[in-house]
Amino acid sequence: MPLEQALQRLLEAAAAEPIQACETVSLADGAGRVLAAGLQATSDLPPWPNSAMDGYALATQGWAGQALPISQRVFAGTAPGPLQPGTCARIFTGAPVPDGADCVEMQENVTLLADGRVQFDQPLTPGQNIRPQGQETRLGETVLPAGTRLGPIELGLAATLGHGQLRVRRRPKVAVLSTGDELVEPGQALGPGQIYNSNRRLLISWLQRLGCEVIDVGILADDLALTRQCLEACQQVDLILSTGGVSVGEADFLGQALREGGELSLWKLAIKPGKPLTFGRYLQVPVLGLPGNPASTLVTFALLARPYLLRRLGCQQVAPLRLAVAAGFDWPVAGSRREFLRARLEGDRAVIYPNQSSGVLRSAAWAQGLVEVPEGTTLRVGDSVRFIPLSELLG
Ligand code: AMP
Ligand code: MG
């Protein structure tokens, strides 16, 4: 199945089952959350005309170029009186422009005369160096739509708008389980045939960055009865996310349990890494079974599970940025599946980790992004390729 088709099905399923519950959080706790309602401007921005410079405010109407006495000083955070006719006001950046003034001249372009008057050395234009009221935003305008994920910039903007509280979607509850009899947790000694469980830590920390509440189920043995029991115990979550045990091998207990206890779609994705993917439902709860190989887990989580979760929160913007860059490598043999290569940018060229098959998380830790090589494609150095920054996927 092509990636787009799998993604489309997942996004449709996500849109049909949104996490609708909301809560109110303080602005300080808004990071990583998703807006449940649009954020409106509670005033014009700027709320009044203000000076863009340290200088002198005056009225150009009826002014013939003569030097003007200073009638008031206007600092940021003060409310000036109207400008007295035939005078100018000393004014500082961000301070409200007095009524009657239509122009600010920067202090570098004036000469202070011995009698205290200000002589303007350059021609003046009405409106210059004044930021008009409502220039950025009008009262009532929706500045951030519902479904926006809140990062530092959005939180800064919400603060600009004066919102101390935000209405956000409830955090998705995701149960994470790692299947495999061979798995052992880090910190313990490895027995024969055992490996450390890397997916658990990878997924849990990633989900937390995405604003999810994680229910850490730990390791699930390759056993049908235990698999059923585990799925039944996870009925209070929004998603069960598992890794491993989804190849159609003999230890495919997740698929078996879903086949009996709910719905099952098994997809052979035309991507590399990351071929087998399970999507289904056990009793009430959607289940996403990612392949167990950590590189496959990484890629399928980034390209499928992440957008699925974001769409359940009502995010419209779920597709990662794909930058056009030049290949810094040759790709002489076309593949039958789309490849996602761990890559770095050197200048404007993407170079790939020398060994794409092994040391999988090591190559991803080295990488800054994934280069997408379409199926049936060969590449020469300098050809255009798509680069998906990992920073984009991880946040
Ligand atoms: P499976 O889909 O269960 O056949 O797993 C595919 C490969 O990924 C096997 O080599 C597993 O040992 C490995 N694998 C599965 N789960 C994990 C995990 N949580 N951490 C590290 N490797 C894993
Ligand atoms: Mg397994």
Side-chain angles (χ1 to χ4, degrees):
M1 181 184 287
L3 178 67
E4 285 73 20
Q5 196 178 331
L7 182 61
Q8 198 191 328
R9 289 210 199 164
L10 283 174
L11 293 181
E12 280 167 13
E17 200 169 355
I19 295 170
Q20 261 156 340
C22 301
E23 56 190 340
T24 301
V25 296
S26 76
L27 183 62
D29 294 325
R33 307 302 296 271
V34 174
L35 284 182
L39 269 199
Q40 272 88 31
T42 51
S43 67
D44 285 345
L45 275 184
W48 14 258
N50 71 92
S51 178
M53 292 284 173
D54 291 337
Y56 298 85
L58 68 156
T60 55
Q61 282 275 321
W63 173 69
Q66 73 276 22
L68 298 174
I70 300 172
S71 56
Q72 61 175 323
R73 298 167 74 78
V74 191
F75 295 96
T78 62
L83 186 70
Q84 283 177 32
T87 72
C88 66
R90 180 76 168 117
I91 194 164
F92 300 93
T93 306
V97 175
D99 275 348
D102 68 349
C103 165
V104 170
E105 178 57 305
M106 55 199 249
Q107 60 195 20
E108 289 80 357
N109 290 346
V110 306
T111 307
L112 287 179
L113 302 181
D115 62 6
R117 286 181 307 144
V118 179
Q119 176 188 299
F120 295 87
D121 301 330
Q122 306 282 334
L124 300 178
T125 326
Q128 79 176 39
N129 298 324
I130 293 178
R131 304 170 180 143
Q133 174 174 344
Q135 168 182 258
E136 275 181 51
T137 305
R138 288 286 179 192
L139 165 70
E141 212 179 304
T142 298
V143 177
L144 291 172
T148 300
R149 288 185 73 216
L150 300 168
I153 294 174
E154 290 76 18
L155 291 173
L157 183 53
T160 307
L161 301 174
H163 292 279
Q165 308 260 300
L166 302 169
R167 198 79 187 132
V168 296
R169 299 282 186 113
R170 167 171 74 66
R171 291 182 188 277
K173 290 194 187 86
V174 182
V176 174
L177 52 108
S178 320
T179 75
D181 284 339
E182 73 278 30
L183 300 178
V184 173
E185 288 306 329
Q188 297 172 20
L190 284 181
Q194 295 184 317
I195 58 166
Y196 288 118
N197 181 1
S198 45
N199 292 337
R200 178 189 187 189
R201 210 34 62 201
L202 172 77
L203 290 179
I204 288 178
S205 54
W206 201 341
L207 286 161
Q208 285 167 341
R209 286 179 73 148
L210 291 176
C212 298
E213 182 187 322
V214 176
I215 290 84
D216 180 5
V217 178
I219 295 169
L220 171 63
D222 292 319
D223 176 277
L224 183 58
L226 287 175
T227 303
R228 279 199 210 105
Q229 213 178 308
C230 175
L231 295 175
E232 266 159 44
C234 292
Q235 290 300 301
Q236 303 307 316
V237 303
D238 299 302
L239 176 69
I240 298 171
L241 187 65
S242 80
T243 61
V246 292
S247 30
V248 206
E250 280 171 29
D252 174 27
F253 297 110
L254 181 72
Q256 243 176 285
L258 294 184
R259 210 170 282 129
E260 296 164 3
E263 302 160 28
L264 169 69
S265 310
L266 238 188
W267 300 333
K268 284 202 175 77
L269 300 174
I271 61 173
K272 188 178 172 186
K275 194 164 157 193
L277 191 96
T278 297
F279 182 57
R281 182 180 294 279
Y282 194 82
L283 304 177
Q284 299 305 310
V285 179
V287 180
L288 196 47
L290 306 181
N293 183 320
S296 309
T297 303
L298 173 86
V299 167
T300 50
F301 185 87
L303 300 178
L304 295 160
R306 178 184 181 276
Y308 169 83
L309 274 168
L310 295 180
R311 182 56 55 86
R312 286 197 63 190
L313 286 170
C315 297
Q316 291 311 303
Q317 188 64 46
V318 299
L321 203 64
R322 284 170 153 86
L323 306 173
V325 301
F329 59 94
D330 285 324
W331 193 255
V333 182
S336 57
R337 295 190 276 156
R338 191 178 314 174
E339 303 243 5
F340 290 91
L341 308 172
R342 272 78 67 201
R344 268 187 174 211
L345 292 182
E346 280 179 6
D348 62 348
R349 304 213 145 171
V351 294
I352 56 176
Y353 195 74
N355 187 341
Q356 289 289 327
S357 62
S358 70
V360 160
L361 284 181
R362 192 173 168 188
S363 65
W366 171 90
Q368 296 166 326
L370 301 173
V371 159
E372 188 170 4
V373 181
E375 43 278 56
T377 302
T378 58
L379 293 172
R380 286 296 200 83
V381 168
D383 286 350
S384 178
V385 287
R386 294 284 164 180
F387 180 87
I388 308 174
L390 276 174
S391 54
E392 167 91 351
L393 297 168
L394 291 170

